[in-house]
């Protein structure tokens, strides 16, 4: 038979098991077909009756041709809009070896420190950059964007205020509009009044708990706030500053003039604009707030041999422990982008970064003098990179001429804002001057730029020029040639386990293939080079991509419309609850404030509900881990008058398709509430069922899980929300670019479409998989999970299963029984490193357990290697149980084993070096060595060091 019509399917590359492997797994389970397994796993009443209505799947080549056409619809003009977003030069050594490198972008959040020392060091470098430049003692390892970082700062200072009656956040009227938008959203549930004002001492009062300063201001001016902050401090009023990180290389840092918190965006440090993201925000504060700082902190500690080691510090603040009492709902940060920014600082060093800042400032001063020469009035007397040019009646002509020359400025009535960036050249200044000259009936020859450049006037007052040093650590002064920088990046990469090495079987985290073809357009200029506030007629490609992705995800979820603004899963939870809140308010039912949440829920659920101003009421789970329907009904009826919502994860956090889900949704609706579905486990639904079909009203999607955006060592993430028809009017809007109707809630993130550039990845995944491929992926994920369950259940008890003894896409292995011989679940996690694997999710949702999720992307061979490792470890535990190994001195307690330890001259352990390093034959072929021994967790919390320490400081600590 002719093969001329054969076309390779992308789904055959994405799904790990070959057809014969899949059939072998089915045979092992006792099924003749995948459909039989699905029938026993997914309740019949929630299964879709027809295939997804999606376009036919594209080939990889076909997709790249199609997306090239889409990209060409975006017009990449030279952007001088500013407002917190600037064009950058991404060092090629960083773009190729970090942003485009799966050794960096496929890593998971560094909860297992021993196999994450590379990214931990890069994030510690990031914290050091932020701490040095802001002049504050402590910084975290990044947040989502500047606006949400500002909201976190407001909330932290509100919670810590001394005068509990004070509820006014005094905000400079010269603030970025997108930041003000997000502040207003976050303030509403807590009765915080956002009061816009000029920052004068006269505006301070007993009602004010904190102030907010934009530095430099939104219009570019640079002012001295030292007197104002000193007066605020004397009254017990704290100060939060949003600062431009690049400017802090030449401006006095806020920490030196009284700021308590400094936030901002590190986008200028080598991360493309990307139509709004992803970018790593920063958050720095005083040491006194270290127990309250939101997000993750990387800290210095030591390993089992006393050597330098890093870990995530103060993890007791995490949501899965504190739940509705957590300091924030932050789960995903922007680790990959923070790592890029830190490498940018390492590559350029203190002098290099200052040279860039000085050049930006000098070009701005040159443009200022040139425009004044042409007869324009420039309104900023002190500035770093931004001018305000009074255009008057000539504003229309300037707009037209700027567009003719493919230039975008920022327009505010008859004033033109021009922000200079790292990519601006002398020739670019000539083009700008030519545009302004033409409107005046003049030409470039009327301005002698070369002469002007030799006598530039200062634009920064002497008292605001930075005097203090920064980036003095050797790390920032050693790797300035490309060869040295390349080796430094690779040395850190080699310390980290990623999907390049082996499967990462984390339950609830869905670590699946991030296909190369999906990733390619991400770094194209047509997607990376657009400002989020660019004129709409320049963004047709992005609008097509967003609109088509909206249609596809709406079909997949069974909802009416999506909002792409939330740029993390937890932010999607918060946005969805705020949409529900607005819906109730529109019906005159603002009093509805009770949120029911199952005891098994993800920790971000109660934290998000608390942030939305809701009262959390916990619903019991039965002995099988399912929602206790009787308890749910009783609590829904008890709180019917005030019931706001119910948050449910489906399949459950225990990995089970609960049979009662339709009844559960009905109970909530009967009592006046809305059903919020956590989409963390959507990978088990796509093509088989959907939130809308089941009965949910809103659901967020973790695009960094189900839809293939890489985890990037802890971010980026995207958490768009889909809603039923009645909630569509309340989807998040944006103060600069309207994306919703008048009833829409105010913004939840800084950019109109969140981290827009990474939407290209999910778009590619759906386009190349099509309806058939997406459904097959879900079926394969369920097959892989049930195969693991079958292989391991005689060695480890499987805690919860469905009605027919099947798991969904993940399962929980119960390790609590091993405590009888002194073995904790953490010992198993560390020992897995010796076998070349990252541990499954540890002690969530049940303490002392492992939650395993293989995803559809792993082959049978890789899954078998993982199962073999766990079975071998079970045998090692049996040796302890049988008395052949000591309870305290054994191979699990000694894990993980480093190359240094195994090759040392002395070996005094009760087991062999071979057992320690090569427990199974396959390990020899692809050995991954942990770079440090077991990390000392408690030491790191007792002596918190969260910036790069000198050797002397570390030894003293």
């Amino acid at each position: 038979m002719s093969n001329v019509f054969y076309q390779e399917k992308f789904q055959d590359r994405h799904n790990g098991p070959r057809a014969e492997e899949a059939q072998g797994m089915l045979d092992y389970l006792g099924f003749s077909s995948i459909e039989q397994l699905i029938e026993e796993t997914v309740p019949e009443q929630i299964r879709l009756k027809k295939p997804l209505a999606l376009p036919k799947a594209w080939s990889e080549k076909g997709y790249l041709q199609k997306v090239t056409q889409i990209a060409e619809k975006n017009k990449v003009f030279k952007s001088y809009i500013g407002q917190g977003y600037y064009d950058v030069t991404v060092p090629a050594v960083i773009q190729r070896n970090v942003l485009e490198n799966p050794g960096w972008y496929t890593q998971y959040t560094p909860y297992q420190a021993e196999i994450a020392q590379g990214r931990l060091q890069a994030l510690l470098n990031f914290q050091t950059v932020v701490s040095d430049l802001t002049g504050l003692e402590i910084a975290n390892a990044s947040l989502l964007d500047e606006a949400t970082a500002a909201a976190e700062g407001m909330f932290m200072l509100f919670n810590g205020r001394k005068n509990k009656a004070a509820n006014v956040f005094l905000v400079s009227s010269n603030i970025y509009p997108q930041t003000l938008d997000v502040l207003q959203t976050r303030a509403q549930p807590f009765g915080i009044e956002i009061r816009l004002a000029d920052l004068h001492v006269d505006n301070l009062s007993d009602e004010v708990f904190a102030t907010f300063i934009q530095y430099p201001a939104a219009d570019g001016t640079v002012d001295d706030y030292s007197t104002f902050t000193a007066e605020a401090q004397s009254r017990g009023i704290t100060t939060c500053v949003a600062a431009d990180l690049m400017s802090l290389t030449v401006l006095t840092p806020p920490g030196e003039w009284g700021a308590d918190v400094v936030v901002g965006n590190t986008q200028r440090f080598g991360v493309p604009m990307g139509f709004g993201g992803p970018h790593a925000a920063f958050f720095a504060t005083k040491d006194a707030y270290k127990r309250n700082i939101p997000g993750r902190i990387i800290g210095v500690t030591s390993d089992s041999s006393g050597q330098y080691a890093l870990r995530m510090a103060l993890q007791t603040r995490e949501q899965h422990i504190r739940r509705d009492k957590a300091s924030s709902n932050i789960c995903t940060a922007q680790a990959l982008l923070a790592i890029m920014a830190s490498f940018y600082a390492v590559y350029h060093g203190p002098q290099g970064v200052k040279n860039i800042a000085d050049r930006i400032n000098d070009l701005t001063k040159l443009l200022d003098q040139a425009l004044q020469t042409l007869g324009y009035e420039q309104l900023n007397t002190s500035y770093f990179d931004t001018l305000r040019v009074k255009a008057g009646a000539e504003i229309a002509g300037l707009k037209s001429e700027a567009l003719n020359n493919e230039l975008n400025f920022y327009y505010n009535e008859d004033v033109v804002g021009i922000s200079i960036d790292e990519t601006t050249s002398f020739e670019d200044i000539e083009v700008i001057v030519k545009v302004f000259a033409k409107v005046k009936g003049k030409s470039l020859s009327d301005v002698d730029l070369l002469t002007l450049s030799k006598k530039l006037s200062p634009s920064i007052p002497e008292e605001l020029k930075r005097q203090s040093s920064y980036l003095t650590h050797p790390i920032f002064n050693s790797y300035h040639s490309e060869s040295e920088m390349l080796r430094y990046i690779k040395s850190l990469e080699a310390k980290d386990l990623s999907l390049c090495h082996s499967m990462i079987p984390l339950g609830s985290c869905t670590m699946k293939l991030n296909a190369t073809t999906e990733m390619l357009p991400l770094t194209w200029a047509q997607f990376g080079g657009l400002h989020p506030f660019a004129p709409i007629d320049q963004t047709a490609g992005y609008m097509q991509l967003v609109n088509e992705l909206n249609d596809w995800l709406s079909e997949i979820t069974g909802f009416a419309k999506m909002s792409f603004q939330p740029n993390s899963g937890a932010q999607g939870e918060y946005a969805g609850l705020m949409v529900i809140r607005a819906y109730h308010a529109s019906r005159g039912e603002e009093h509805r404030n009770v949120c029911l949440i199952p005891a098994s829920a993800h920790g971000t659920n109660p934290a998000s509900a608390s942030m939305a101003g809701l009262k959390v009421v916990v619903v019991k789970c039965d002995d099988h881990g399912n929602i206790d329907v009787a308890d749910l009904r009783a609590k829904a009826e008890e709180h019917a008058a005030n019931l706001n919502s119910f948050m449910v994860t489906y399949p459950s956090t225990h990995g089970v398709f609960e049979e009662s889900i339709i009844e559960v949704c009905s109970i909530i609706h009967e009592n006046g509430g809305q059903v919020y579905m956590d989409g963390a486990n959507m990978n088990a639904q796509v093509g088989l069922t959907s939130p809308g079909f089941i009965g949910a009203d809103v659901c967020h999607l973790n695009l960094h899980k189900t839809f293939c955006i890489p985890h990037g060592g802890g971010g980026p993430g995207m958490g768009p929300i889909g809603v039923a028809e009645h909630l569509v009017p309340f989807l998040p809007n944006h103060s600069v670019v309207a994306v919703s109707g008048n009833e829409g809630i105010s913004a939840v993130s800084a950019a109109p479409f969140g981290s827009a550039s990474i939407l290209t990845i999910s778009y590619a995944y759906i386009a190349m998989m099509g309806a058939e491929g997406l459904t097959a992926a879900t079926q394969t994920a369920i097959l892989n999970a049930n195969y693991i369950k079958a292989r391991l259940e005689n060695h480890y008890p499987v805690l919860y299963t469905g009605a027919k003894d099947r798991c969904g896409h993940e399962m929980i292995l119960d390790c609590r029984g091993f405590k009888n011989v002194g073995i904790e679940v953490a010992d198993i996690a560390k020992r897995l490193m010796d076998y070349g694997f990252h541990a499954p999710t540890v002690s969530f949702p049940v303490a002392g357990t492992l939650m395993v999720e293989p995803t559809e992307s792993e082959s049978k061979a890789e899954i078998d290697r993982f199962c073999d490792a766990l079975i071998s470890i079970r045998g090692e535990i049996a040796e302890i149980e049988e008395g052949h190994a000591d309870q305290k001195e054994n191979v699990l307690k000694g894990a993980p084993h480093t190359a240094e330890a195994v090759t040392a001259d002395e070996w005094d352990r009760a087991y062999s070096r071979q057992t320690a390093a090569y427990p199974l034959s396959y390990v020899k072929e692809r050995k991954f060595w942990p770079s440090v021994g077991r990390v000392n967790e408690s030491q790191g919390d007792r002596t918190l060091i969260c910036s790069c320490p000198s050797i002397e400081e570390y030894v003293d600590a």
Side-chain angles (χ1 to χ4, degrees):
M1 182 178 176
S2 173
N3 205 28
V4 295
F5 296 108
Y6 169 77
Q7 181 172 324
E8 186 175 72
K9 294 181 178 179
F10 175 74
Q11 73 178 74
D12 294 333
R13 298 297 188 186
H14 176 85
N15 294 335
R18 305 298 85 202
E20 62 276 11
E21 292 179 331
Q23 190 56 54
M25 290 191 282
L26 287 166
D27 292 343
Y28 190 87
L29 293 170
F31 293 108
S32 60
S33 69
I34 189 71
E35 287 76 20
Q36 284 185 326
L37 171 62
I38 298 304
E39 286 173 8
E40 285 206 4
T41 306
V42 184
E44 192 279 332
Q45 64 268 28
I46 66 164
R47 290 204 295 272
L48 296 174
K49 308 306 182 213
K50 58 181 181 179
L52 294 171
L54 294 173
K56 183 180 177 181
W58 299 333
S59 66
E60 292 185 63
K61 180 180 178 181
Y63 166 72
L64 288 173
Q65 292 172 336
K66 172 74 172 177
V67 78
T68 298
Q69 296 170 358
I70 294 174
E72 288 172 351
K73 295 180 182 179
N74 289 328
K75 300 175 184 177
V76 186
F77 286 11
K78 189 72 179 173
S79 174
Y80 300 101
I81 297 171
Q83 297 297 294
Y85 300 94
Y86 304 87
D87 203 1
V88 297
T89 300
V90 185
V93 67
I94 296 174
Q95 176 168 317
R96 172 62 59 89
N97 297 290
V98 181
L99 181 59
E100 297 175 350
N101 181 358
W104 282 100
Y105 66 66
T106 67
Q107 305 158 342
Y108 185 60
T109 306
Y111 288 115
Q112 297 295 338
E114 295 83 357
I115 50 175
Q117 291 295 297
R119 84 201 79 146
L120 285 166
Q121 182 63 60
L123 291 172
L124 186 76
N125 295 350
F126 175 86
Q127 291 176 177
T128 306
V129 172
V130 171
S131 182
D132 279 8
L133 291 179
T134 60
L136 286 169
E137 298 97 326
I138 190 167
N140 68 15
S142 79
L143 292 176
L144 296 173
D145 58 36
E146 180 171 320
T148 51
E152 293 291 343
M154 172 185 72
F155 197 58
M156 187 184 84
L157 295 176
F158 178 70
N159 283 338
R161 69 198 190 283
K162 294 178 181 177
N163 177 10
K164 297 303 181 183
N167 75 324
V168 171
F169 193 46
L170 185 67
V171 175
S172 167
S173 52
N174 211 337
I175 182 180
Y176 291 142
Q178 68 271 22
T179 302
L180 177 61
D181 214 1
V182 174
L183 286 175
Q184 289 171 331
T185 309
R186 287 286 293 272
Q188 182 187 1
F190 296 93
I192 298 173
E193 178 189 339
I194 304 293
R195 184 177 294 174
L196 284 175
D198 292 333
L199 295 183
H200 294 306
V201 171
D202 294 344
N203 290 323
L204 297 172
S205 69
D206 291 342
E207 302 171 289
V208 177
F209 67 88
T211 67
F212 182 87
I213 299 168
Q214 192 86 46
Y215 180 76
D219 65 9
T221 57
V222 177
D223 292 317
D224 185 351
Y225 296 101
S226 57
T227 301
F228 175 78
T229 54
E231 178 62 25
Q233 284 180 340
S234 71
R235 302 187 187 198
I237 298 170
T238 50
T239 299
C240 179
V241 177
D244 179 292
L245 202 64
M246 183 64 75
S247 76
L248 296 186
T249 63
V250 295
L251 296 179
T252 304
E256 293 180 13
W257 47 257
D260 297 278
V261 175
V262 182
V263 301
N265 190 347
T266 58
Q267 185 258 315
R268 292 192 93 152
F269 276 47
V271 180
M273 288 186 289
F275 202 44
H279 307 132
F282 63 84
F283 189 110
T285 189
K286 296 178 177 178
D287 186 70
Y289 292 103
K290 65 187 175 188
R291 305 283 162 177
N292 307 102
I293 187 171
R296 300 176 182 130
I297 300 174
I298 309 307
V300 179
T301 183
S302 61
D303 73 355
S304 53
S305 65
Q307 300 297 310
Y308 171 93
L310 301 170
R311 63 180 283 268
M312 289 207 302
L314 303 177
Q315 291 187 47
T316 53
R317 301 167 308 127
E318 293 275 334
Q319 298 83 14
H320 65 280
I321 296 171
R322 300 199 65 208
R323 302 181 74 77
D324 58 317
K325 301 297 189 297
S327 56
S328 75
N329 73 334
I330 294 167
C331 187
T332 303
Q334 300 284 23
L336 180 66
L337 297 314
I339 288 166
M340 286 182 65
S342 77
F343 280 139
Y344 179 94
V346 169
Y347 191 42
H348 288 294
Q351 190 57 52
V353 175
K354 187 176 188 303
N355 289 343
I356 292 169
D358 283 339
R359 185 170 173 278
I360 290 169
N361 185 235
D362 284 345
L363 287 172
T364 310
K365 290 185 289 188
L366 176 61
L367 179 60
D368 181 10
Q369 293 182 205
L371 295 180
Q372 290 192 54
T373 302
L374 288 171
Y376 287 95
E377 179 185 3
Q378 201 284 113
L379 302 177
N380 288 345
T381 55
S382 59
Y383 54 82
F384 167 61
D385 65 1
T386 298
L387 306 176
R388 287 188 300 150
V389 183
K390 186 83 169 176
E394 295 164 327
I395 188 72
L398 274 170
K399 282 185 179 180
S400 175
E401 191 60 27
L403 290 174
N404 288 341
N405 285 270
E406 298 191 347
L407 307 181
N408 287 330
F409 299 132
Y410 182 76
Y411 301 99
N412 185 5
E413 297 179 348
D414 65 344
V415 175
V416 182
I418 309 173
S419 293
I420 303 303
D421 59 48
E422 174 189 9
T423 68
T424 308
S425 65
F426 183 85
E427 290 73 23
D428 291 326
I429 298 297
E430 287 183 321
V431 174
I432 297 172
V433 172
K434 185 175 72 172
V435 166
F436 276 83
K438 185 172 183 180
V439 174
K440 287 281 190 184
K442 300 180 180 180
S443 70
L444 181 61
S445 61
D446 292 315
V447 182
D448 188 348
L449 286 175
L450 282 176
T451 300
L452 288 176
S453 68
K454 297 173 183 176
K455 51 180 181 179
L456 298 175
S457 302
S459 70
I460 299 170
E462 279 298 318
E463 63 272 18
L464 286 179
K465 289 183 178 178
R466 180 163 193 149
Q467 305 299 321
S468 54
S469 59
Y470 50 86
L471 305 184
T472 57
H473 194 278
I475 285 174
F476 302 103
N477 295 277
S478 303
Y479 308 108
H480 303 325
S481 72
E482 182 166 329
S483 57
E484 288 298 326
M485 188 65 198
L486 174 64
R487 290 166 189 153
Y488 180 63
I489 290 172
K490 289 296 180 181
S491 73
L492 296 189
E493 179 191 338
K495 296 179 179 181
D496 282 20
L497 187 142
S498 70
L499 283 174
C500 299
H501 301 96
S502 57
M503 68 183 285
I504 301 180
L506 285 151
S508 191
C509 295
T510 317
M511 300 293 294
K512 63 203 289 181
L513 172 70
N514 314 123
T516 307
T517 300
E518 294 164 1
M519 300 296 294
L520 288 175
L522 180 66
T523 53
W524 295 355
Q526 296 97 325
F527 291 117
L530 262 69
H531 193 288
F533 305 153
I536 193 71
D537 62 354
Q538 296 174 22
T539 65
Y542 260 117
M543 291 305 99
Q544 178 181 339
L545 185 145
V546 166
N547 289 333
E548 290 185 7
L549 194 52
N550 171 77
D551 292 343
W552 298 347
L553 290 176
S554 295
E555 169 67 14
I556 289 166
T557 59
F559 283 131
K561 192 173 182 182
M562 309 295 300
S563 167
F564 293 96
Q565 198 172 110
N567 49 19
S568 81
Q571 197 178 74
E573 294 172 11
Y574 171 71
L577 292 174
M578 291 297 287
V579 165
I580 290 173
R581 181 187 169 107
Y583 166 74
H584 286 309
S586 74
R587 295 158 55 89
E589 297 182 330
E590 295 95 334
H591 60 276
R592 290 189 174 274
N593 69 339
V594 171
C595 182
L596 303 181
I597 300 180
S600 63
H602 289 104
T604 54
N605 287 181
S608 296
S610 179
M611 275 178 51
L614 302 178
K615 176 185 175 183
V616 174
V617 174
V618 177
V619 175
K620 296 176 185 176
C621 290
D622 63 22
D623 293 339
H624 301 287
N626 299 319
I627 295 167
D628 186 326
V629 177
D631 188 58
L632 172 71
R633 185 181 297 278
K635 285 173 177 167
E637 292 174 353
E638 176 188 354
H639 297 285
N642 297 305
L643 184 59
N644 174 283
S645 52
F646 174 61
M647 299 187 81
V648 59
T649 301
Y650 201 77
S652 74
T653 313
H654 295 141
V656 176
F657 284 92
E658 297 184 40
E659 302 276 341
S660 63
I661 187 64
I662 291 179
E663 181 185 2
V664 163
C665 294
S666 297
I667 290 169
I668 300 304
H669 290 143
E670 288 165 7
N671 288 280
Q674 296 283 288
V675 175
Y676 181 94
M677 186 169 284
D678 183 322
N681 292 345
M682 192 70 193
N683 208 48
Q685 285 194 43
V686 178
L688 302 181
T689 185
S690 74
F693 186 71
I694 291 168
D697 300 288
V698 57
C699 176
H700 85 266
L701 299 177
N702 296 92
L703 297 189
H704 52 288
K705 294 183 181 181
T706 306
F707 296 95
C708 290
I709 292 174
H711 286 248
M718 272 291 270
I721 56 172
V723 296
E725 189 71 45
H726 63 284
L727 295 179
V728 169
F730 309 102
L731 287 172
N733 210 335
H734 194 275
S735 60
V736 181
V737 180
V739 291
S740 184
N742 294 333
E743 292 183 278
I745 64 171
S746 48
V748 295
S749 69
F753 299 100
S755 295
S757 67
I758 56 175
L759 293 176
T760 56
I761 302 167
S762 297
Y763 182 88
Y765 172 62
I766 298 172
M768 292 189 290
M769 290 291 275
E772 177 189 330
L774 291 171
T775 304
T778 309
Q779 293 171 330
T780 305
I782 292 172
L783 170 62
N784 285 354
N786 278 279
Y787 176 70
I788 289 178
K789 172 182 173 292
R791 282 212 60 194
L792 295 180
E793 60 190 350
N794 291 329
H795 306 276
Y796 299 85
V798 176
L799 205 51
Y800 302 111
T801 56
K804 296 182 180 179
D805 199 33
R806 301 294 166 201
C807 64
H809 63 310
E810 61 189 2
M811 80 223 68
I812 298 175
L813 305 180
D814 192 352
C815 304
R816 292 173 294 184
F818 307 139
K819 286 188 176 185
N820 295 334
V821 290
I823 295 299
E824 302 288 342
V825 68
D827 298 322
I828 300 173
K830 303 309 179 188
R831 181 57 174 155
L832 266 170
M833 297 175 190
D834 292 328
Y835 288 80
F837 285 104
H838 193 294
T841 300
V842 175
S843 287
F844 175 82
V846 180
T849 65
L850 294 171
M851 185 160 62
V852 182
E853 181 182 357
T855 83
E856 70 275 12
S857 299
E858 300 301 339
S859 67
K860 180 177 181 296
E862 181 70 0
I863 290 170
D864 279 332
R865 275 192 290 269
F866 172 70
C867 291
D868 290 345
L870 276 176
I871 292 168
S872 178
I873 290 172
R874 182 63 185 91
E876 293 168 349
I877 297 171
E879 289 185 12
I880 303 169
E881 293 170 330
E882 295 162 4
H884 302 309
D886 186 76
Q887 289 194 17
K888 294 183 179 179
E889 299 293 331
N890 58 66
V891 72
L892 282 93
K893 291 294 185 184
H897 299 87
T898 64
E900 182 180 5
V902 172
T903 59
D905 292 338
E906 295 183 8
W907 180 262
D908 58 358
R909 309 196 188 194
Y911 46 91
S912 70
R913 299 174 195 256
Q914 174 83 13
T915 300
Y918 301 113
L920 289 176
S921 58
Y922 78 80
V923 180
K924 294 180 181 179
E925 301 170 11
R926 45 197 294 186
K927 177 67 180 177
F928 179 87
W929 290 100
S931 57
V932 297
R934 193 172 302 198
V935 164
N936 189 324
E937 304 281 356
S938 59
Q939 178 199 350
D941 284 348
R942 288 194 311 271
T943 310
L944 183 62
I945 303 171
C946 61
S947 59
C948 295
S950 66
I951 297 299
E952 294 78 14
E953 288 173 321
Y954 176 67
V955 170
D956 290 344

